[in-house]
């Protein structure tokens, strides 16, 4: 069981799909096994090194396939642990890398269903399997003979003649086992496993509660008067959403960010803005059957106990030990350096908005449901930039083409549609083959752009199969997933600038996976430290602003004309606009996350803790956290981002600094800098310490100066990010 596969199973507990790879040469030398009755257990067949068998299995096949694959993997693990030969890197660490292929394939399908097709049948499977997957993972890391072999190798690592990638893999494997309780006594191991199983069940319940409210809650608009301020495309989206939910002839603002935020920005109906806003920010906090507060209290309690059992002061100390930040104190130092300038900027933004409201004799004091609406008015006044003027140039499909073009310019990648020849799990999903500059196959990119019932909100990237060369070249399979509203059949989908930025962000994760060039699957692609993984994705956002891309792909939905130079200049001038809001909205959530997990065993009332902590921080009353505690899926649907939501800011410190490397050269498409970026960052996965990888790209450590310049803040408080 490799570190990558263990991480994958942890991710499955919060619905991020796993990976798989091809059979080893050793396995191919053995007579082929008869195909199992359950299709999900079979090797992936078809083109491109094999593809997921969508359409050839039933949902009811998933649980028995997981159970069978887990059992088979445990037999593999036991064979490695009981090998009579002395432990070697090949018969222990590499053997672990080769194990669990069947489980990886099944887990990929399971993750796709829990994140994008999560109906009642899937939720029943998730409820049953989440604690069992946690117990399965513990069975591996608590295997005494297996850990003894790993420890023997680790203690003699300087005499093994390993190359740097192998040294990195051995270190990661050893530290993973230790951090997961491999050195605990038997009683402590049993308690740890019980904690992990209970947490896994709570994570699943948290997700399901949130999904239920996002899928069922909406604000129905009954008349034309309710649509005041909305442009035609948003009216069409709302009409389609209502019809899809059994309300034909009406309009609906559904409970997802991509539906709510445009309404809050453009609707002139303040009463309806407040209604929509409250629906959105109260997800999971309504005191009903789907309320998440008690679940959060229990999760925090169990995490604190687990950290203490493992020998750490708090869950935050445990989570940050193997990140770039290393300690909560270092993460806090960065957040605090940015918090005060961001709050100061919010005060300026609110003053500007209040002045507009007063000039219009609105008779209001700016409230959270007014922020986006009046910010848009200020932007029009200051920069003559109107969201409704910009949106006709932001076509979903054209921007997707633009992402492909950037990938070609920077990394020499070419995307060729293979939709129709590769099976998919839903009609909305399309597939592209990715080739390198020489025309060689690199991998597949799946795109699932539209919202639907049973699909998690937001946007994300999955790896269905990770790149590796352990037994020949194994091509990667990745996906990007979004939640755009479909609109009328055949009509182009228009998105906001924020949504376009999000698309580029998630595509950055995909490129991190697609450019991977490592030997061992555990070290490939995005399987890196949490506060480093967002660096490549946040860096790619910058190319959305480049004139070369906008000229080609920001074309008017009706005329086909490229975006005017005057409008591009307005976008450029407004880059730092509303950065107080964006930073405080995000950073307040990151600070709450960290403080919740530094509280140790102190019992937590989530709503009270949130309210009191924000007050102590001086949170502006006009802003609400981007993810209120009761809906904070990053943190409470799994351990992945727990005590780690700060990672986006840490990574943006790197991305802002890295972007300036292009500015110091010939510009955004400088080929030498792009080649260095691919060689030192995008292709390296987790083969070296991320701080070393960054230094190999930039020639030095980053400071926060570039970050502060990017956001338009004062740069008085400087310091290194790592």
């Amino acid at each position: 069981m490799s570190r990558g596969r263990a991480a994958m199973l942890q991710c499955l507990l919060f619905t991020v799909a796993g990976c798989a790879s091809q059979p080893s040469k050793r396995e191919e030398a053995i007579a082929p096994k008869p195909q199992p009755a359950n299709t999900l257990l079979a090797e992936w067949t078809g083109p491109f090194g094999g593809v997921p068998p969508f359409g050839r299995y039933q949902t009811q096949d998933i649980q028995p396939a997981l159970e069978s694959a887990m059992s088979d993997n445990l037999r593999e693990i036991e064979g490695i642990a009981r090998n009579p030969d002395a432990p070697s890197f090949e018969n222990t660490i590499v053997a672990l890398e080769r194990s669990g292929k069947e489980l990886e394939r099944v887990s990929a399908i399971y993750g796709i269903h829990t994140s994008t097709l999560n109906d009642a049948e899937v939720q029943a499977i998730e409820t049953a399997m989440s604690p069992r997957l946690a117990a399965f993972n513990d069975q591996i890391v608590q295997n005494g003979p297996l850990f003894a072999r790993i420890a023997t190798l680790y203690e003699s690592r300087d005499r093994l003649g390993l190359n740097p990638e192998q040294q990195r893999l051995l270190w990661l494997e050893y530290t993973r086992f230790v951090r997961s309780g491999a050195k605990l006594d038997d009683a402590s191991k049993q308690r740890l496993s019980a904690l992990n199983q209970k947490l896994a069940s709570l994570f699943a319940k948290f997700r399901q509660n949130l999904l239920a409210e996002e899928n069922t809650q909406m604000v129905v608009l009954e008349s034309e008067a309710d649509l005041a301020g909305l442009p035609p495309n948003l009216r069409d989206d709302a009409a389609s959403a209502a019809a899809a939910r059994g309300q034909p002839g009406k309009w609906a603002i559904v409970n997802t960010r991509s539906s709510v935020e445009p309404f809050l920005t453009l609707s002139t109906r303040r009463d309806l803005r407040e209604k929509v806003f409250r629906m959105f920010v109260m997800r999971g906090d309504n005191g009903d059957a789907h309320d998440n507060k008690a679940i959060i209290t229990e999760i925090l309690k169990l995490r604190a106990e687990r950290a203490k059992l493992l020998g750490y002061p708090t869950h935050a100390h445990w989570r940050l030990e193997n990140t770039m930040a290393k300690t909560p104190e270092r993460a806090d130092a960065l957040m605090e350096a940015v918090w005060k300038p961001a709050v100061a900027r919010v005060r300026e933004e609110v003053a500007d908005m209040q002045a507009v409201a007063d000039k219009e004799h609105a008779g209001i004091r700016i409230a959270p449901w007014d922020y986006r609406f009046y910010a848009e008015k200020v932007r029009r006044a200051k920069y003559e930039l109107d969201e409704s003027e910009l949106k006709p140039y932001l076509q979903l499909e054209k921007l997707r083409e633009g992402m492909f073009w950037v990938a070609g310019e920077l990394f020499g990648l070419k995307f060729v549609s293979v939709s129709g020849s590769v099976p998919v799990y839903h009609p909305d999903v399309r597939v592209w083959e990715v080739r390198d500059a020489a025309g060689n196959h690199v991998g597949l990119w799946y795109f699932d752009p539209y919202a639907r019932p049973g699909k998690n909100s937001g946007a994300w990237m999955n790896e269905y199969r990770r790149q590796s060369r352990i037994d020949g070249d194994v091509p990667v399979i990745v996906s990007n997933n979004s939640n755009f509203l479909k609109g009328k059949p055949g009509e182009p989908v228009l998105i906001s600038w924020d949504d376009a930025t999000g698309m580029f962000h998630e595509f950055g994760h995909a490129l991190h996976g697609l450019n991977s060039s490592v030997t061992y699957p555990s070290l490939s692609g995005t399987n890196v430290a949490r506060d480093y993984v967002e660096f490549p994705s946040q860096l790619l956002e910058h190319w959305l602003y480049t004139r070369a891309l906008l000229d080609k792909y920001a074309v008017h939905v009706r005329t086909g004309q490229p975006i005017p130079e005057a409008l591009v200049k307005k976008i450029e001038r407004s880059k730092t606009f509303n950065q107080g809001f964006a930073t405080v909205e995000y950073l307040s959530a990151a600070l709450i996350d960290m403080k919740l997990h530094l509280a140790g065993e102190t019992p937590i009332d989530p709503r009270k803790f949130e309210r009191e902590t924000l007050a102590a921080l001086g949170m502006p009353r006009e802003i609400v956290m981007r993810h209120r505690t009761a809906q904070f899926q990053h943190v409470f649907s799994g351990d992945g981002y727990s005590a780690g939501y700060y990672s986006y800011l840490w990574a943006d410190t790197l991305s802002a600094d890295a972007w300036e490397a292009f500015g110091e050269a010939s510009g955004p498409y400088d080929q030498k800098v792009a080649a260095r970026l691919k060689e030192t960052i995008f292709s390296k996965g987790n083969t070296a310490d991320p701080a070393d990888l960054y230094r190999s790209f930039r020639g030095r450590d980053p400071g926060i100066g570039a970050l502060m310049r990017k956001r338009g803040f004062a740069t008085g408080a400087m310091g290194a990010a790592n």
Side-chain angles (χ1 to χ4, degrees), residues 74 267 511 518 691:
L74 287 175
S267 173
L511 292 178
V518 306

Side-chain angles (χ1 to χ4, degrees), residues 214-230:
E214 290 176 344
N215 281 346
T216 60
Q217 294 179 352
M218 59 184 170
V219 172
V220 177
L221 309 179
E222 303 282 352
S223 67
E224 285 284 340
D226 293 343
L227 304 176
L230 302 184

Side-chain angles (χ1 to χ4, degrees), residues 425-440:
Y425 55 85
H426 189 276
D428 287 345
V429 180
R430 288 168 288 156
V431 189
W432 282 260
E433 181 193 4
V434 185
R435 301 173 185 168
D436 65 17
N440 300 311

Side-chain angles (χ1 to χ4, degrees), residues 10 13-14 134-135 137-138 141-142 178-181 184 188-203 298-320 597 600-601 635-643:
Q10 281 292 97
L13 301 181
F14 61 103
N137 194 56
D138 285 332
V141 296
Q142 294 180 9
V178 172
R179 283 171 44 77
S180 299
L184 296 177
S188 297
K189 286 180 178 178
Q190 290 179 12
R191 179 56 185 161
L192 178 62
S193 187
L195 291 171
N196 286 335
Q197 291 175 61
K198 179 62 176 174
L199 281 165
S201 294
L202 292 169
F203 297 155
E298 184 70 7
I299 287 174
L300 292 169
K301 175 186 173 183
L302 296 177
R303 280 175 171 164
E305 182 183 350
R306 180 177 61 184
K308 187 174 181 180
L309 189 64
L310 290 168
Y312 296 85
T314 69
H315 178 77
H317 289 85
W318 177 61
R319 286 295 301 164
L320 269 71
H597 290 102
E601 297 177 286
V635 172
F636 295 111
S637 65
D639 280 329
Y641 278 90
S642 59

Side-chain angles (χ1 to χ4, degrees), residues 417-485:
S417 176
V418 292
S419 293
S421 61
V422 173
V424 294
Y425 55 85
H426 189 276
D428 287 345
V429 180
R430 288 168 288 156
V431 189
W432 282 260
E433 181 193 4
V434 185
R435 301 173 185 168
D436 65 17
N440 300 311
H441 176 70
V442 171
L444 294 176
W445 183 74
Y446 288 62
F447 189 39
D448 184 358
Y450 301 121
R452 60 177 173 270
K455 186 177 181 182
N456 287 351
S457 61
W460 65 95
M461 171 266 195
N462 278 355
E463 286 181 308
Y464 300 163
R465 181 172 66 209
R466 289 185 173 151
Q467 175 273 330
S468 70
R469 291 193 298 268
I470 193 172
D471 288 308
D473 288 330
V474 175
V476 67
I477 300 178
V478 300
S479 74
N480 280 150
N481 310 269
S482 303
N483 271 275
F484 301 114
L485 297 177

Side-chain angles (χ1 to χ4, degrees), residues 130-152:
S130 290
R132 295 178 63 181
L133 283 165
F136 165 81
N137 194 56
D138 285 332
Q139 281 183 270
I140 295 171
V141 296
Q142 294 180 9
N143 185 311
L146 178 62
F147 177 64
R149 296 179 71 87
I150 295 170
T152 296

